[in-house]
Amino acid sequence: MKKVIIAKDADELNKIAAEKFISIAQNALEKKDKFTVALAGGSTPKSLYNLLASDEFRSQIDWRKVFFFFGDERNVSLNDEESNFRMANENLLKPLQIPPENIFRWQTELEAANKIAENYEEAIKEFFDLRENPPARAGNSDCLPCFDLILLGMGDDGHTASLFPFTEALNERLKIAVANPVEKLNAKRLTLTFPVINNARNVIFLVKGADKAETLREVLQQEIQPNKFPAQTIKPTNGNLFWLIDKEAAQLLE
Ligand code: 6PG
């Protein structure tokens, strides 16, 4: 199921997103005692994280049952202002007093990007109890984690997580977590792969601001160009896809 919801402004967008987060978590926790979420980085989700940690929302779920992962990360130290972990920790995890054992971050102190990615993949496989067998092969969801929720943003170039246009990670169909060389950033970014994201039960895109409007029109309503607009490749196989957008970002949509 794919749903596009347009909010009148950033405040309403965050409220809708927080309510959706909580309802997905409450649904999941009716059936099991763990709720797994991969957080988005960048600047957009910061105010959503603050809202989730506020008195209005913090008491609506038992956060001890929530397990936090990260859809992508920059290859920087966890105290670096560029760190997605740092942003989420300051605005959500610390305020909610999430225990460290419920937080699975990319261990960027391991230096080599490929090692960080391998380490993160192992941590995810262990948490989700994924066996090597049957051997991982494209489309074999037995070898993929199934997150209850993956939060995503979208760059004005159409990237999501750290799946940037015309980069090698766009073609990865077996691995869970990779280091993705991004020429225009002159850096390797760390990211979950499309098979993982599309194996989630729920995916929420949170997009706001006029600077995203043209790209959003391309991604949602124009020709499919997966290398140019990686966000177009997000199509959960069995899960729900929610595009939560503010009016500014939606202004060019028909
Ligand atoms: C990151 C994010 C990335 C982000 C987009 C949008 O590490 O930067 O995961 O995919 O969601 O770049 O970023 P803004 O929210 O800052 O516009």
Side-chain angles (χ1 to χ4, degrees):
M1 184 272 288
K2 172 178 168 183
K3 202 167 180 187
V4 178
I5 300 172
I6 298 172
K8 68 177 187 308
D9 57 26
D11 285 346
E12 187 183 62
L13 180 69
N14 284 325
K15 196 156 166 58
I16 293 168
E19 288 164 353
K20 184 62 74 183
F21 183 110
I22 295 293
S23 70
I24 289 170
Q26 287 172 337
N27 275 335
L29 293 172
E30 278 167 15
K31 305 179 190 90
K32 53 185 181 165
D33 63 356
K34 288 183 181 166
F35 172 67
T36 55
V37 54
L39 298 176
S43 56
T44 300
K46 185 174 172 182
S47 44
L48 166 61
Y49 296 162
N50 281 312
L51 185 58
L52 283 169
S54 71
D55 293 345
E56 184 183 356
F57 285 92
R58 63 184 300 133
S59 56
Q60 295 189 30
I61 47 173
D62 180 353
W63 294 98
R64 291 168 304 177
K65 297 179 177 177
V66 182
F67 293 80
F68 292 90
F69 297 76
F70 290 81
D72 74 320
E73 187 54 282
R74 290 82 183 274
N75 189 9
V76 295
S77 96
L78 58 87
N79 305 312
D80 189 299
E81 62 183 25
E82 281 295 299
S83 164
N84 288 338
F85 167 77
R86 175 178 164 175
M87 187 274 280
N89 196 39
E90 286 178 357
N91 293 283
L92 183 68
L93 307 176
K94 253 194 311 200
L96 287 175
Q97 298 174 315
I98 303 296
E101 60 270 22
N102 287 39
I103 302 169
F104 295 80
R105 63 176 177 82
W106 299 77
Q107 299 200 358
T108 53
E109 58 274 22
L110 292 173
E111 301 270 329
N114 292 339
K115 187 84 190 95
I116 298 168
E118 283 162 23
N119 172 275
Y120 202 57
E121 175 148 337
E122 283 315 305
I124 290 174
K125 280 181 172 172
E126 187 181 340
F127 180 89
F128 285 91
D129 196 20
L130 298 176
R131 296 274 176 271
E132 278 310 318
N133 299 320
R137 60 184 185 283
N140 176 352
S141 63
D142 294 348
C143 297
L144 290 170
C146 184
F147 285 94
D148 293 305
L149 173 59
I150 295 183
L151 291 177
L152 296 173
M154 186 194 76
D156 59 9
D157 61 354
H159 83 264
T160 189
S162 281
L163 297 159
F164 283 83
F166 307 105
T167 58
E168 65 187 44
L170 301 189
N171 305 311
E172 181 56 57
R173 290 295 178 271
L174 293 178
K175 289 183 182 163
I176 289 169
V178 295
N180 187 27
V182 183
E183 204 174 316
K184 74 175 188 181
L185 300 177
N186 190 26
K188 276 189 177 178
R189 280 287 197 89
L190 301 155
T191 188
L192 298 183
T193 57
F194 282 131
V196 173
I197 299 172
N198 285 328
N199 200 45
R201 290 188 181 86
N202 296 277
V203 176
I204 293 178
F205 268 106
L206 197 65
V207 184
K208 70 181 175 191
D211 61 320
K212 305 284 175 76
E214 176 48 35
T215 304
L216 206 53
R217 188 181 70 88
E218 290 281 358
V219 166
L220 289 180
Q221 297 182 338
Q222 300 302 305
E223 179 197 354
I224 300 296
Q225 303 178 74
N227 276 317
K228 189 175 177 189
F229 298 112
Q232 290 180 326
T233 306
I234 302 300
K235 291 189 293 290
T237 314
N238 299 309
N240 302 311
L241 174 59
F242 301 96
W243 282 88
L244 305 185
I245 307 165
D246 75 347
K247 224 170 177 175
E248 290 278 293
Q251 61 184 284
L252 299 178
L253 296 181
E254 271 109 50

